């Protein structure tokens, strides 16, 4: 099998099909080395059968490339043809079950050697059929270790119906792989649908992300709250001041245990649930010390909110991965329900492990300063003075009330 097993210790596997040249000819997945599509599975047949029942080998490498709505056999509103197709007008790869392809599926190939944290598979399922028909179109996620043997259904990976009539809903799927999938040189994941009763509907599989750290900060987006590590360029995040804004870039940096000793400037700040206001944050939130929160109309770096009770330095972590969201212009996003600033270049872009990716996309950029010579931010930033004291006093009163209630 001529596939590349994506090594997760080198970074998350991300595929949103944004490059139309990835698949340039039918049944050729060489441009997507760690993903392949198949039109069926072994013994895959039966109308209305439960997708979880098919555990045999994926069969018949398949993809119809560069499909637009024009060819009638691939028109998602009327076609009877099934299999795997790249719909360029939708910007995604889709699965279509039916007579010609009873159990079409995508297989993702992973190398989890050296990974000890939970691994999550995340993807969006979009109903591409805008007609009035509405079949019960199933989606299921399976895995196996190695290249042979039966596939195993992933807990929580089955959806009985992901389509509606006269609509194109999107369903976000996020599952955690069983622990036996960790530390393996060959792990295969399978996203599949099956032949439905009535006319099947094409379903797009988009924004595929396999991430090493499931328990990341939840960011509010147009598709609900999603782990920050699953975001990709172009995803739309909800902001407090500008509505939905697409992600321009995400900076990443990681620190191991030797960098995270008490007193280290990179030790994260832990903000307990409800520390700032009722349900703000909605759960315990960890941010880098200089990452600012938006409180009472100003930005306050988290390190200046530490009170030793509800807001502390979290020196107990063994490793930490920071993800910094950048938009076109700074804004306030919601991290675990708390309003937080997005990244702007303060002469520190090269602190990120992937800064070269930004330069490749946008070129070198310079920081911007205001008339007083301070780095520009969308709101004033306070690190001392009466306004900070007033904010801290409110937080301290909440901390006392929380302690009393406990």
């Amino acid at each position: 099998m001529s596939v590349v097993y994506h090594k997760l210790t080198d970074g998350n596997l991300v595929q949103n099909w944004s490059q139309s040249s990835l698949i340039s000819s039918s049944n050729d997945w060489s441009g997507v080395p760690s993903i392949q599509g198949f039109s069926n599975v072994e013994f895959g047949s039966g109308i209305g059968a439960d997708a979880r029942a098919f555990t045999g080998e994926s069969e018949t490498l398949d993809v119809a490339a560069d499909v637009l709505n024009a060819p009638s056999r691939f028109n998602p509103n009327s076609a009877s043809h099934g299999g795997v197709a790249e719909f360029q007008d939708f910007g995604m790869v889709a699965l279509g079950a039916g007579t010609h392809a009873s159990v079409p599926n995508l297989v993702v190939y992973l190398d989890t050697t050296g990974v000890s944290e939970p691994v999550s598979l995340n993807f969006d399922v979009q109903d591409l059929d805008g007609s009035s028909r509405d079949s019960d179109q199933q989606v299921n996620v399976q895995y196996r270790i190695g290249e042979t043997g039966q596939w195993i259904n992933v807990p929580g990976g089955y959806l009985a119906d992901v389509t509606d009539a006269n609509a194109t809903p999107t369903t976000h799927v996020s599952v955690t792989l069983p622990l036996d999938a960790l530390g393996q040189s060959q792990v295969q994941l399978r996203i599949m649908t099956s032949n439905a009763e009535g006319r099947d509907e094409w379903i797009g599989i988009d924004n595929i992300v396999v991430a090493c750290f499931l328990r990341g900060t939840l960011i509010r987006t147009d598709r609900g709250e999603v782990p920050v590590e699953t975001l990709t360029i172009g995803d739309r995040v909800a902001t407090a001041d500008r509505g939905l804004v697409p992600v321009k870039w995400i900076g990443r940096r990681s620190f191991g245990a030797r960098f995270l000793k008490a007193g280290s400037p990179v030790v994260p700040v832990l903000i307990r649930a409800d520390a700032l206001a009722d349900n703000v944050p909605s759960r315990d939130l960890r941010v880098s010390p200089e990452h600012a929160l938006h409180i009472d109309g100003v930005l306050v770096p988290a390190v200046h909110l530490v009170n030793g009770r509800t807001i502390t330095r979290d020196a107990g972590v063994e490793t930490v991965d920071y993800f910094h969201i950048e938009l076109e212009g700074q804004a306030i996003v919601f991290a675990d329900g708390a309003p937080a600033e997005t990244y702007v270049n303060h002469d520190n872009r090269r602190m990120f492990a992937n800064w070269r990716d930004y330069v490749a996309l946008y070129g070198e950029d310079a920081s911007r300063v205001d008339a007083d010579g301070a780095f520009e931010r969308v709101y004033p930033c306070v690190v001392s003075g009466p306004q900070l004291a007033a904010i801290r006093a409110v937080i301290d009163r909440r901390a006392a009330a929380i302690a009393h209630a406990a």
Side-chain angles (χ1 to χ4, degrees):
M1 183 176 292
S2 58
V3 296
V4 175
Y5 282 80
H6 178 88
K7 193 171 181 62
L8 278 180
T9 53
D10 291 339
N12 298 340
L13 183 151
V14 178
Q15 186 54 259
N16 59 12
W17 314 110
S18 58
Q19 299 179 41
S20 59
S21 60
L22 290 176
I23 302 175
S24 57
S25 60
S26 296
N27 305 339
D28 181 1
W29 291 87
S30 59
V32 194
S34 298
I35 301 177
Q36 289 187 323
F38 299 85
S39 61
N40 209 350
V41 303
E42 186 180 22
F43 308 120
S45 62
I47 297 174
D50 191 324
R52 292 169 290 187
F54 301 111
T55 59
E57 298 287 341
S58 292
E59 296 182 331
T60 314
L61 197 69
D62 184 31
V63 64
D66 305 339
V67 173
L68 303 178
N69 275 347
S72 60
R73 70 192 185 107
F74 285 104
N75 187 329
N77 295 335
S78 62
S80 60
H81 182 90
V84 184
E86 179 198 26
F87 284 92
Q88 286 201 337
D89 44 351
F90 288 100
M92 64 185 69
V93 164
L95 306 177
T99 305
H100 301 282
S102 292
V103 191
N105 60 93
L106 291 178
V107 177
V108 180
Y109 303 90
L110 301 174
D111 178 352
T112 63
T113 304
V115 175
S116 58
E117 295 288 335
V119 171
S120 65
L121 168 66
N122 309 267
F123 59 95
D124 290 333
V125 184
Q126 183 173 340
D127 180 0
L128 304 187
D129 187 342
S131 73
S132 60
R133 71 173 181 260
D134 181 23
S135 301
D136 289 343
Q137 203 68 55
Q138 304 172 64
V139 165
N140 188 41
V141 177
Q142 298 178 331
Y143 83 106
R144 70 177 179 183
I145 298 169
E147 298 189 328
T148 60
Q150 285 196 324
W151 291 77
I152 302 168
N153 295 309
V154 174
Y158 174 73
L159 293 89
D161 186 18
V162 294
T163 59
D164 287 331
N166 303 312
T168 54
T170 298
T171 303
H172 182 67
V173 179
S174 180
V175 294
T176 304
L177 300 189
L179 293 179
D180 64 350
L182 304 182
Q184 304 288 343
S185 61
Q186 293 180 329
V187 177
Q188 298 182 1
L189 308 182
R190 183 159 72 182
I191 304 168
M192 59 202 298
T193 189
S194 59
N195 196 356
E197 297 278 0
R199 180 70 68 84
D200 286 84
E201 299 174 79
W202 282 95
I203 53 172
I205 308 298
D206 199 11
N207 298 318
I208 299 172
V209 179
V210 183
C212 291
F213 302 98
L214 177 66
R215 295 184 295 272
T217 303
L218 296 179
I219 303 298
R220 193 177 302 171
T221 74
D222 60 345
R223 50 191 170 91
E225 291 192 315
V226 302
V228 64
E229 66 270 16
T230 70
L231 289 174
T232 60
I233 292 174
D235 284 348
R236 297 193 302 164
V237 297
T239 69
D241 41 7
R242 293 166 51 194
L244 293 171
V245 181
V247 172
K248 179 179 181 181
W249 186 69
I250 300 175
R252 303 189 309 272
R253 54 184 180 144
S254 301
F255 299 96
R258 65 190 181 95
F259 293 99
L260 297 172
K261 302 184 183 303
S264 168
V266 300
V267 170
V269 173
L270 169 60
I271 305 169
R272 295 291 184 187
D274 300 315
L276 305 179
D278 290 344
N279 206 38
V280 181
S282 56
R283 62 177 193 157
D284 290 355
L285 167 66
R286 290 172 174 84
V287 297
S288 56
E290 295 301 323
H291 199 102
L293 300 173
H294 186 239
I295 305 172
D296 292 346
V298 297
L299 294 170
V300 184
V303 69
H304 295 288
L305 298 173
V306 171
N307 61 9
R309 291 177 290 175
T310 54
I311 304 178
T312 61
R313 298 298 291 273
D314 189 9
V317 294
E318 294 184 359
T319 61
V320 63
D321 290 75
Y322 288 127
F323 297 83
H324 293 253
I325 301 169
E326 183 172 6
L327 310 180
E328 192 64 61
Q330 196 183 37
I332 303 301
V333 296
F334 296 96
D336 287 332
E341 68 174 348
T342 58
Y343 172 77
V344 289
N345 183 8
H346 287 173
D347 284 341
N348 58 355
R349 187 175 298 282
R350 296 196 180 202
M351 72 178 177
F352 296 112
N354 60 328
W355 67 270
R356 291 183 179 85
D357 294 345
Y358 180 93
V359 174
L361 289 170
Y362 306 110
E364 294 276 10
D365 65 330
S367 60
R368 299 175 62 179
V369 296
D370 59 23
D372 297 323
F375 290 120
E376 281 192 357
R377 276 177 155 127
V378 68
Y379 295 100
C381 182
V382 299
V383 296
S384 61
Q387 195 165 11
L388 176 60
I391 290 171
R392 288 180 59 97
V394 172
I395 293 173
D396 287 344
R397 287 196 295 271
R398 290 192 61 84
I402 290 171
H404 179 74

